[in-house]
Amino acid sequence: MYFNRSNEFPRSAEVVVIGGGVIGLTIARGLGQRSVRDVLLIERSALGTEASFAAGGILAPQAEADRADEFFELACRSRDLYAEFAAGLFDETGVDVELDSTGTVYVALTDEDFKEVEKRYGWQSRAELAVEKLTAHEARELEPQIAPSVRGALLFPRDVQIENRRLLNALINSVANFDVHVATETNVASLKIEHAQTGARTGRVAGVQTSCGRVSCRTVIVAAGTWSSAIEHSHTPTIEPVRGQMICFDAKPQLTRHVIYSPRGYLVPRKDGRLLAGSTSENAGFAKQVTAGGISAILANAQEISPNVANLPIVDTWAGLRPRAADGLPVLGPCDEIDGLFYATGHYRNGILLAPVTGELIAEAVVSGHISPLLAAFSPNRFNLAHVS
Ligand SMILES: Cc1cc2nc3c(=O)[nH]c(=O)nc-3n(C[C@H](O)[C@H](O)[C@H](O)COP(=O)(O)OP(=O)(O)OC[C@H]3O[C@@H](n4cnc5c(N)ncnc54)[C@H](O)[C@@H]3O)c2cc1C
């Protein structure tokens, strides 16, 4: 199935984006905003139905960081782009992505957790980042449903959340406004690469081979999440699936106001009364299943944060596959060996958080050739390209 202005499957495009998750959609929008006319987004099933749909929507670089490194800088930059990103999407589409700036609370529930909280507070306050230390009493005053065993907490007022399913909806409407051509239920099997000489390591993109036929193009962006390295001749560094399961409760009235983190789990209150609890991190291949073991681990961690979770009805459960590169960092930018080939994958646990900065910097790299220094640590060329052909 496909849809575009003429309703015919395009045989050529200026830029092909492979993958219709939050990353591919945000890049396609970024290209549309930069007046690239002939963008084709190819999605093998329906738009926004994989990891991006399964996520919790937490935008919390500070709550999880043990140090200021390049990843922390990229993640904070993206979080700080969110207000403008959400407002822009609302103007374009009328969809409110429910950017919630109440803040994130990180709770210490054991002595070990408390040491971690002290350490995190220490480096972040020295770096003059926004963080407040709360005593056990203050934490329970702020969030009365937190377990009485809480030892203390940190409040990160700038770490926020969005409703990721609304975000996907907004992005899908936005790319339609920018006249991006979208082909769904279309699998990209391989890339077509031209080599000056047979067997040469270097070459340039000539097109993609899809289940609907070949598309000629000079630029391809691989944004196919955990399936990225399965695309033949894409030279993508290995990306592996890490399964995450989630539970959704009906919590009216809502149990907490903030996103609450512990080192073992989290609770995410949604505006409509849903309360999400997550998650697991499992190497289970591509099996996107909800399991008894996964659900019982999430329940235990959620009840450790707030014993009152035990009284809530469970209304939904699901699982998704996080795309993880060998070093756990995103893979962003051009391929050294193949002209016209870009990657935006391996976002692992932070693809929703990193979407605005990825969309902006990758679209800019494609259009102007400028590679932001922010991308240096995430270059695909940091891996040995083992399967160039
Ligand atoms: C349980 C869970 C909770 C999470 N919570 C958070 C969170 O709170 N905050 C956060 O920032 N991140 C979170 N994440 C991580 C985040 O969801 C991912 O990093 C992000 O969604 C990755 O986006 P993506 O577009 O790269 O991948 P996906 O959303 O998986 O999209 C990739 C798309 O590519 C398509 N595709 C694959 N191969 C092909 C092909 N050959 N041809 C055409 N199309 C193809 C797929 O069908 C898919 O639609 C969570 C993930 C999980 C599983």
Side-chain angles (χ1 to χ4, degrees):
M1 198 183 113
Y2 43 84
F3 51 97
N4 59 14
R5 266 164 290 166
S6 60
N7 237 13
E8 277 171 26
F9 186 72
R11 295 294 158 201
S12 69
E14 199 175 327
V15 181
V16 167
V17 181
I18 308 174
V22 72
I23 299 299
L25 285 163
T26 308
I27 293 170
R29 173 177 179 259
L31 292 168
Q33 284 174 320
R34 285 163 181 78
S35 306
V36 181
R37 280 284 122 239
D38 205 6
V39 179
L40 172 62
L41 175 68
I42 306 182
E43 164 55 51
R44 68 172 185 187
S45 57
L47 296 173
T49 51
E50 290 291 349
S52 307
F53 189 78
I58 304 170
L59 314 173
Q62 283 182 241
E64 293 203 39
D66 290 325
R67 60 184 177 280
D69 56 11
E70 290 97 338
F71 180 79
F72 183 67
E73 193 186 350
L74 188 78
C76 288
R77 169 74 77 94
S78 202
R79 176 196 63 189
D80 297 343
L81 288 174
Y82 248 99
E84 199 186 322
F85 185 56
L89 285 169
F90 185 73
D91 287 348
E92 287 161 33
T93 68
V95 178
D96 177 2
V97 300
E98 295 182 357
L99 178 64
D100 179 332
S101 49
T102 312
T104 296
V105 173
Y106 189 98
V107 290
L109 298 163
T110 65
D111 291 342
E112 206 50 41
D113 297 353
F114 192 71
K115 281 187 214 149
E116 200 173 315
V117 156
E118 290 278 313
K119 234 168 61 194
R120 203 155 288 177
Y121 178 74
W123 84 261
Q124 295 204 14
S125 55
R126 280 194 299 279
E128 296 184 1
L129 296 165
V131 53
E132 291 166 35
K133 189 152 75 169
L134 308 178
T135 62
H137 178 72
E138 287 167 338
R140 294 219 342 128
E141 240 178 28
L142 187 69
E143 285 290 359
Q145 306 282 346
I146 290 178
S149 57
V150 68
R151 309 276 209 282
L154 298 178
L155 170 64
F156 297 99
R158 292 184 66 189
D159 277 359
V160 295
Q161 64 147 315
I162 51 112
E163 217 295 27
N164 45 295
R165 295 180 181 179
R166 283 179 161 262
L167 175 65
L168 290 164
N169 199 4
L171 286 167
I172 291 167
N173 284 301
S174 168
V175 297
N177 290 345
F178 281 111
D179 254 353
V180 169
H181 300 199
V182 179
T184 55
E185 292 169 42
T186 305
N187 183 56
V188 176
S190 64
L191 303 194
K192 294 287 164 201
I193 308 292
E194 282 169 356
H195 296 282
Q197 291 159 354
T198 318
R201 273 182 73 81
T202 56
R204 84 151 354 277
V205 167
V208 294
Q209 186 62 45
T210 80
S211 49
C212 293
R214 182 172 170 166
V215 181
S216 303
C217 63
R218 305 292 275 175
T219 305
V220 166
I221 301 160
V222 176
T226 197
W227 300 272
S228 296
S229 48
I231 301 167
E232 231 186 304
H233 308 310
S234 74
H235 304 179
T236 313
T238 304
I239 304 292
E240 289 189 330
V242 177
R243 184 169 69 196
Q245 302 185 40
M246 295 278 263
I247 301 178
C248 178
F249 302 97
D250 183 14
K252 294 188 198 88
Q254 196 49 272
L255 203 66
T256 71
R257 282 195 305 121
H258 300 79
V259 170
I260 316 274
Y261 254 99
S262 84
R264 292 162 292 284
Y266 54 76
L267 297 176
V268 182
R270 294 288 200 226
K271 286 205 167 108
D272 60 5
R274 283 173 299 148
L275 178 74
L276 310 188
S279 180
T280 57
S281 266
E282 304 162 82
N283 297 317
F286 289 90
K288 212 177 61 177
Q289 289 154 345
V290 173
T291 64
I295 293 303
S296 64
I298 297 169
L299 281 176
N301 294 332
Q303 287 175 82
E304 188 195 22
I305 294 173
S306 175
N308 292 337
V309 163
N311 303 320
L312 300 175
I314 295 177
V315 290
D316 201 0
T317 58
W318 61 84
L321 302 176
R322 306 178 185 92
R324 187 184 189 280
D327 57 7
L329 295 173
V331 178
L332 303 171
C335 172
D336 265 357
E337 268 89 357
I338 309 295
D339 279 352
L341 177 55
F342 292 79
Y343 303 102
T345 185
H347 289 80
Y348 191 30
R349 307 178 63 218
N350 294 288
I352 307 297
L353 168 63
L354 294 173
V357 82
T358 302
E360 202 167 294
L361 299 185
I362 296 294
E364 197 49 42
V366 167
V367 169
S368 72
H370 172 71
I371 311 299
S372 163
L374 271 178
L375 293 182
F378 311 106
S379 164
N381 308 305
R382 69 186 187 273
F383 299 102
N384 285 332
L385 296 177
H387 50 290
V388 174
S389 58

